[in-house]
Amino acid sequence: MPAKKKKELESEKYTFSSDTLYRKVCGIHDSRIKDLESFLKITIIPRGLSLILNGGIEEVTHAMKFFANLEENFKSRPDKDNFDNFDINYLIRSKDSPADNKTTWNPTEKVLTTYKGKALYPRTANQQKFVESLMKNMVSFALGPAGTGKTFLSIAVACRLLQNGEIDRLILTRPAVEAGESLGFLPGDLVQKVDPYLRPIYDSLHECIGPEKVQVLTSLGKIEIAPIAFMRGRTLANSFIILDEAQNCTSMQLKMILTRLGKNSRMAISGDVTQIDLANNRSGLQKVMSALKSVEGIGVIELKKEDITRHPLIEVILERLDKI
């Protein structure tokens, strides 16, 4: 029986031209090296601004190509300041991975500059499609798991249009699905009763334009809270309407909301069908999306687990819980 051929080994050095990217690739105290070794199936030794790559000839060649394309992607990105572990992991997992020697994705347009001066960009290809739909279409649906930026991107685009004078009002609505207590038993007027259900939207608004500006615009009627139950009969012109948590709307509620659209208005409808709180699972979101998918002026974007931009642990949690 012939002896098994010993695998040929090779050692190469890749030197980064950007010390910023080198630090991001290695992580704090070289914490990312093990993940990269597992992905590339080689051993990696950090040295200065270089990585010593040891392993099989094919694997080392593959790794050299990966780091070269990763650096090329980084150089062309407009969001270098915000580039972090998520972006590296996303490029690794995407179908256009730098390791495949393809043109890798990067954002093409800034969504908004926040009140703190931070530039906001889409962080994945699907997020960019959603932003493009929000800018182009009268109605945009976004379906996807928690943490994929559905609400935040809707708010960011709405704030941009409001600041540019392209719309007059931002109207926020979200189904007030009861969890053991009725709205009627909550203290305060209508706005105060609905406020707890709209906190995630307010959190995004505060990050985009700041709490003080939100308060001023709300007092001027530029930002309006419009509970679904009180939308009937209205025609909303020159407005950006955001319906969040739409998986908790029935088909009739969605029909009513959609028919509120007036001249020069846009609507963003987002939801996660894995988090339906309605009794008997009566959500109408998927039915409505399917019926309107091919209509001109309506965009339908499906965000996936790889688009989760919150804490990386969120994706792991979702994967484990989906198996229960």
Side-chain angles (χ1 to χ4, degrees):
M1 185 176 180
K4 189 175 180 180
K5 188 176 180 180
K6 190 175 181 180
K7 189 173 184 179
E8 295 186 50
L9 301 178
E10 186 170 345
S11 179
E12 290 279 0
K13 180 170 78 170
Y14 184 84
T15 302
F16 289 84
S17 60
S18 166
D19 61 334
T20 301
L21 179 60
Y22 174 78
R23 290 196 301 271
K24 291 178 183 290
V25 167
C26 293
I28 299 172
H29 303 305
D30 298 333
S31 58
R32 285 194 49 79
I33 295 299
K34 286 187 177 180
D35 290 338
L36 288 168
E37 287 179 330
S38 176
F39 167 65
L40 296 168
K41 297 179 174 57
I42 58 171
T43 58
I44 301 174
I45 303 171
R47 287 285 185 274
L49 289 181
S50 301
L51 296 177
I52 310 300
L53 313 176
N54 297 312
I57 292 177
E58 289 185 11
E59 287 80 4
V60 169
T61 302
H62 182 82
M64 289 289 288
K65 188 187 297 182
F66 169 79
F67 289 116
N69 289 331
L70 180 64
E71 188 158 26
E72 191 64 32
N73 175 268
F74 180 75
K75 288 177 182 177
S76 64
R77 295 183 75 100
D79 61 339
K80 290 184 182 65
D81 292 341
N82 301 323
F83 191 88
D84 58 21
N85 288 348
F86 168 81
D87 300 288
I88 296 173
N89 289 335
Y90 176 72
L91 291 172
I92 286 173
R93 294 176 300 177
S94 69
K95 63 180 179 180
D96 296 330
S97 167
D100 297 327
N101 199 24
K102 297 178 181 178
T103 302
T104 50
W105 177 85
N106 64 39
T108 57
E109 185 180 3
K110 180 174 66 176
V111 181
L112 179 76
T113 300
T114 71
Y115 78 107
K116 290 183 176 180
K118 179 182 178 181
L120 298 179
Y121 291 88
R123 302 196 69 184
T124 71
N126 284 332
Q127 285 191 358
Q128 183 156 293
K129 288 177 185 176
F130 183 42
V131 170
E132 290 169 354
S133 178
L134 290 168
M135 298 296 295
K136 171 186 172 184
N137 294 310
M138 284 186 65
V139 179
S140 297
F141 287 94
L143 192 67
T148 50
K150 305 182 296 295
T151 302
F152 185 75
L153 291 172
S154 300
I155 294 287
V157 171
C159 289
R160 170 178 168 173
L161 297 178
L162 192 62
Q163 289 178 342
N164 292 345
E166 296 180 54
I167 58 170
D168 295 333
R169 289 181 301 170
L170 169 55
I171 297 175
L172 312 170
T173 186
R174 194 182 195 206
V177 178
E178 298 174 3
E181 60 179 344
S182 171
L183 280 177
F185 292 100
L186 292 175
D189 59 19
L190 177 63
V191 171
Q192 291 171 321
K193 289 175 186 292
V194 178
D195 259 2
Y197 297 94
L198 295 172
R199 286 323 310 174
I201 292 178
Y202 275 122
D203 290 343
S204 297
L205 275 170
H206 290 166
E207 186 169 346
C208 288
I209 59 177
E212 292 181 3
K213 188 72 174 288
V214 171
Q215 192 171 3
V216 170
L217 292 176
T218 302
S219 66
L220 294 173
K222 296 285 188 179
I223 296 177
E224 180 185 346
I225 297 168
I228 290 176
F230 289 77
M231 294 280 281
R232 190 176 300 279
R234 300 183 64 184
T235 300
L236 304 171
N238 300 309
S239 303
F240 197 110
I241 304 105
I242 295 177
L243 172 58
D244 195 27
E245 301 292 346
Q247 77 275 3
N248 288 328
C249 290
T250 64
S251 297
M252 290 303 295
Q253 284 176 317
L254 287 168
K255 180 180 178 181
M256 185 268 289
I257 291 287
L258 286 162
T259 53
R260 299 308 95 201
L261 269 176
K263 186 177 180 181
N264 192 39
S265 285
R266 303 185 196 195
M267 186 176 290
I269 299 175
S270 60
D272 176 7
V273 293
T274 67
Q275 296 189 25
I276 297 172
D277 300 313
L278 292 172
N280 302 320
N281 202 31
R282 294 179 294 112
S283 174
L285 181 57
Q286 284 183 306
K287 292 179 182 177
V288 170
M289 284 177 58
S290 298
L292 299 178
K293 196 167 188 176
S294 59
V295 176
E296 187 175 353
I298 295 179
V300 177
I301 309 299
E302 293 193 30
L303 297 128
K304 305 187 182 298
K305 289 177 183 176
E306 59 265 28
D307 299 301
I308 295 173
T309 55
R310 284 183 190 166
H311 194 283
L313 188 59
I314 299 294
E315 185 177 354
V316 177
I317 290 171
L318 288 172
E319 286 179 358
R320 295 292 179 91
L321 295 183
D322 283 346
K323 296 175 183 178
I324 296 178

